[in-house]
Each structure stands twice: as structure tokens, then as C-alpha cells.
């Protein structure tokens, strides 16, 4: 690949953008009296300092994330969920009505939704039948307006990792930004691409605290990239995109890594148990190998099974309408007792 000039990929209006400068980002140092941000000087009804605007760049939280992920704080962006990271990538790089991105269905739905919201074409290059990247197909889909490539590994809803060599090939040959969404990486046997950040200036790795960390309600999505890219994200994001409560609770949760590791171990054990037990049902035709906290299965009649489980008070995700996922159901790995309830219900279905 010709050497990329990252700046050439950025939209003209973003290159020229003078970002909003909040009171809290203009002031540096120590002070006793804060009369700069039109906050409520009399305090909040809560114990915490919620009357004050939160740190716009979330440095304390980033320091804790940095210790765990081994990436310097200045190479971290925190979004209001990964969905904000995805949306901002569109807004930095994709000219509405002109540019396009490549996605590889069946995959996480928000890439396409964000493309549609931003009026950006999402070129769809289907995965192969064994749910791997169609590398040739991706290369063929690239044109002079292609800005982003979304790679979700482990992939949702299929659950598997993509071949590492395929991802590396695309990193070396895609003439735009490659976003590797590793939302489920903690459940995977494959190594993260975080270690490759210094190799590839066009790489953004996405993680989230919603899955392995069990903090979906706090909305903490993470983007890791070069400082040049992170600066662009900071320029475009809303000034206080991560609320103070999420910052505080995020820091507190990150101190409890042992508990989180235990939960990951239990999830992986239960995944193995479920895989083994699901084998026993004749109406389950394929159990796709999973490196995630969910399992995709192909059944005889997905609509019927979905409705049956619903009547038993068990909700799974019917993915039948996704390409290559005819009659497929996605089952999140539950706790031991939830999984037993599921298996008991399936026994009665037979
Ligand atoms: C692949 C993938 N990425 C991102 C997300 C969303 O993460 P967040 O909760 O951080 O927005 C999901 C949620 O299901 C997902 O499956």
C-alpha cells in the first residue's frame, strides 16, 4: 500500500473545525472558586459533586484503562458506548452523500445504521460460508471514496474470530481507516490487535466495558489509536460525552479486575457446557464455534423455537433475517442456572 496520509482521509469541514472550548477544558491548575461554567454553586441534591461538569477528557478513567490495556492514556478515546466511537468515525472521515464504507455482514448492526444516519453508503461484502472475511471481495469493493472498513472479531452474531492473517493483509492493503471491533475479545482465544497500534497508523481498535466488564448501563466504549486519530475524535465529540457518574463508577469497577476475570472464566466454562449440551438436540443442526459470550445455532425452524422460548419466559435473538443466518438463533451464555432453565425448556420442546 502506498503510504497513507491520514489527513487526506479527513473531511474538509473537520479539518477546518474549530472545536467547542468548554470552561473546564480552558482552565488548568488549581483554584478554589469556580465561577466559570454557570454551574450551580449551591451544590446538587446528591452527595457527589454532580453540580460540576465532568472532566471532558476523562483522564482519571483513561489512566485506569491504560494500566489494564497497556495503551497510553493519550491513545485512548472514550465514547458514550462503542456506538459513539462508530458514529464519530463516520463524522470525521465520511462526506455524506459521497463517501462510502465497507462492512462484512452478517455483522454488528450499528455499522450500517450509523452509515444510514450519516447518509454514507455501506458497501456490503458478505462473509464466506464459514463466516470468514472475503478478502478479495473487500479489495474489489474499494473505490476512491472508500474511507472506513469495519472488521468485527470476534464477530457478532456469528461468534467466531476472523483469521488473523486476513485482518493483517487488509490492514496492510486497505487505503483508509480499519476499525477492528473487539467488543468480545475477553472471551476469545485470539490475541487483541491492541499490540499492533504502533504498526498501523490507519488502525482503530474498539473495546467496550459493556461485555466482559459487565458495565453496559454506564455506556463506556473505547477507541484505541494513534494520537493523531484520537485528537480528531476529541475534536468532534460532544464536550462532556461521558457523564460524571459513569466516570466515577468506571474507575471503581476497573479496580475489581479479579472479580471480572472470574466472571469471564465462568462465562467461558458455561459456553463450553452449553455447546456440549446443545449437541444433544436433534432440532439443532449446527452449533457454530464461539469465541464470544454467545453461541449461534442453526435450527430446523427458528421462528417456531423463538416463539416457544418466549412463552417459557426465555428471550434469545432470532437472527434468521441476517444474510447466511437462515434459521439461526443467537443465545447469550447465561449463568449456570439460566443455562439450565434454557436446556430444560429445550428438552420439553423436543
Ligand atoms: C460487536 C459489537 N460492538 C459494539 C457493541 C456495543 O457496545 P457498547 O455497549 O459499548 O455500545 C456491541 C453490542 O452488542 C457489539 O456486539
Amino acid at each position: 500500500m502506498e503510504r497513507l496520509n491520514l489527513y487526506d482521509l479527513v473531511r474538509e469541514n473537520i479539518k477546518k473545525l474549530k472545536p467547542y472550548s468548554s470552561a473546564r477544558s480552558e482552565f488548568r491548575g488549581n483554584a478554589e472558586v469556580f465561577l466559570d461554567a454557570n454551574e450551580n454553586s449551591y451544590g446538587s441534591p446528591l452527595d457527589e459533586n454532580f453540580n460540576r461538569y465532568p472532566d471532558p477528557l476523562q483522564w482519571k478513567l483513561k489512566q485506569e484503562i491504560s494500566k489494564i490495556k497497556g495503551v497510553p492514556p493519550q491513545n485512548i478515546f472514550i465514547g458514550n458506548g462503542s456506538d459513539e466511537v462508530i458514529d464519530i468515525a463516520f463524522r470525521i472521515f465520511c462526506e455524506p452523500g459521497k463517501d462510502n464504507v465497507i462492512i462484512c455482514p452478517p455483522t454488528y448492526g450499528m455499522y450500517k445504521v450509523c452509515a444510514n444516519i450519516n447518509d454514507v453508503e455501506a458497501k456490503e461484502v458478505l462473509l464466506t460460508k464459514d463466516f470468514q472475511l472475503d478478502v478479495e471481495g473487500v479489495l474489489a469493493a474499494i473505490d476512491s471514496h472508500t474511507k472506513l472498513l469495519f472488521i468485527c472479531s470476534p464477530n457478532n452474531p456469528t461468534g467466531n474470530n476472523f483469521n488473523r492473517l486476513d485482518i493483517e493483509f487488509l490492514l496492510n492493503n486497505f487505503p483508509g481507516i480499519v476499525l477492528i471491533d473487539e467488543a468480545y475479545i475477553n472471551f476469545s482465544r485470539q490475541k487483541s490487535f491492541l499490540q499492533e497500534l504502533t504498526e498501523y497508523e490507519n488502525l482503530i481498535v474498539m473495546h467496550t466495558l459493556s461485555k466482559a466488564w459487565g458495565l453496559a448501563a454506564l455506556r463506556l466504549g473505547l477507541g484505541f489509536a494513534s494520537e493523531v486519530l484520537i485528537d480528531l475524535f476529541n475534536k468532534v465529540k460532544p464536550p462532556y460525552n461521558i457523564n460524571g457518574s459513569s466516570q466515577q463508577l468506571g474507575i471503581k469497577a476497573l479496580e475489581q479486575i479479579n472479580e471480572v476475570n472470574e466472571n469471564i472464566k465462568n462465562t467461558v466454562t458455561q459456553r463450553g457446557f452449553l455447546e456440549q449440551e446443545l449437541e444433544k438436540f436433534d432440532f439443532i443442526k449446527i452449533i457454530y464455534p464461539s469465541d464470544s459470550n454467545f453461541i449461534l445455532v442453526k435450527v430446523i425452524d427458528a421462528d417456531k423455537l423463538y416463539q416457544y422460548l418466549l412463552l417459557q419466559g426465555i428471550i434469545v435473538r432470532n437472527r434468521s433475517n441476517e444474510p447466511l443466518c437462515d434459521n439461526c438463533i443467537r443465545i447469550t451464555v447465561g449463568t449456570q442456572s439460566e443455562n439450565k432453565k434454557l436446556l430444560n425448556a429445550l428438552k420439553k420442546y423436543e
Side-chain angles (χ1 to χ4, degrees), residues 81-83 108 111 152 156 181 183-184 208 210-211 219-221:
S82 307
D83 296 339
Y108 181 49
Y111 312 141
C152 184
N156 176 8
D181 186 345
Y184 300 98
T208 176
S210 298
K211 309 293 175 184
R219 312 306 302 125
L220 294 167

Side-chain angles (χ1 to χ4, degrees), residues 85-135:
V85 183
I86 297 166
D87 185 59
I88 294 181
F90 276 95
R91 290 199 276 146
I92 295 170
F93 296 106
C94 300
E95 200 69 64
K98 185 172 142 202
D99 288 332
N100 63 68
V101 304
I102 297 178
I103 63 173
C104 303
T107 194
Y108 181 49
M110 276 308 283
Y111 312 141
K112 189 170 175 181
V113 172
C114 278
N116 289 341
I117 291 170
N118 286 288
D119 191 17
V120 169
E121 182 195 356
K123 294 192 176 198
E124 303 192 16
V125 179
L126 289 194
L127 297 179
T128 60
K129 283 208 176 65
D130 55 349
F131 294 149
Q132 287 297 323
L133 291 165
D134 172 5
V135 175

